[in-house]
Amino acid sequence: MKTTLTEENYLKALFHVVDHEGKVTINELSKFLNVKMPSVNNMMKKFADKNWVIYETYKPLRVTEKGRREAALVVRKHRLTEMFLVKKMNFGWENVHEIAEQLEHVHSQVFFDKMDEILDYPKFDPHGEPIPDKDGNIIAQDLQQLSNCKIGETVVFTSVTLSDDAFLNYLTERKLLLNTKIKIIKIEDFDKSITIEILGKTEVLSKKATEKILVKH
């Protein structure tokens, strides 16, 4: 049986909020989705019937391997669509999220496999997030927040944790694009804003922004 749009939105939420042990609380899901807890509770009971989660009263949910794969496949559709819109249709990386939100609910596996082939099987989406393969496997990455870097370090801007249009426009205006090198020049004691050097010029980024920028050495 095909998953419904609502089920896919819940699956995607599970993908984003589970901890490293595959656990999440009803309350965490409720806040992430902005849905009332009784509704989340009812949906998770249905997920338990499908063997996507292990549901026990008063305990965190545990996502099963089957549930993890189902969630990853929804994310795959979303990230492949974003990549297609950027690479083949010349959309800016700040303009693709909402469109992908709609197209990710297309159920044709062949459609997305063809998209993958046309793109030459990309490993990452336009925001640097790994694209799960058609079996739901995903590349592990060793990244850290820019906010955790130290003065003098040079790192590579690898991905973002927020695909919000306003945030991506903020980065684009500052020429902060993926795979560019960033050198940490100064960290303000007062508000933890960071002065960086990028492409030969300096920029000051707020703590709120640096927490959403992921980098690697």
Side-chain angles (χ1 to χ4, degrees), residues 138-169:
I138 196 163
I139 297 171
Q141 296 189 92
D142 184 20
L143 306 178
Q144 65 173 322
Q145 293 172 311
L146 181 60
S147 56
N148 290 332
C149 293
K150 295 179 173 57
I151 294 172
E153 285 188 311
T154 297
V155 293
V156 177
F157 178 22
T158 305
S159 67
V160 294
T161 62
L162 179 69
S163 299
D164 176 76
D165 292 359
F167 178 56
L168 295 177
N169 278 320

Side-chain angles (χ1 to χ4, degrees), residues 10 25 55 57-58 62 71 115 158 166 173 196 202-203:
Y10 272 89
T25 66
Y55 178 97
T57 307
Y58 305 122
R62 285 182 289 159
M115 190 183 286
T158 305
E173 287 169 3
I196 63 168
T202 59
E203 290 283 354

Side-chain angles (χ1 to χ4, degrees), residues 18-23 62-63:
V18 293
D19 65 17
H20 66 283
E21 294 180 341
K23 295 180 180 179
R62 285 182 289 159
V63 180

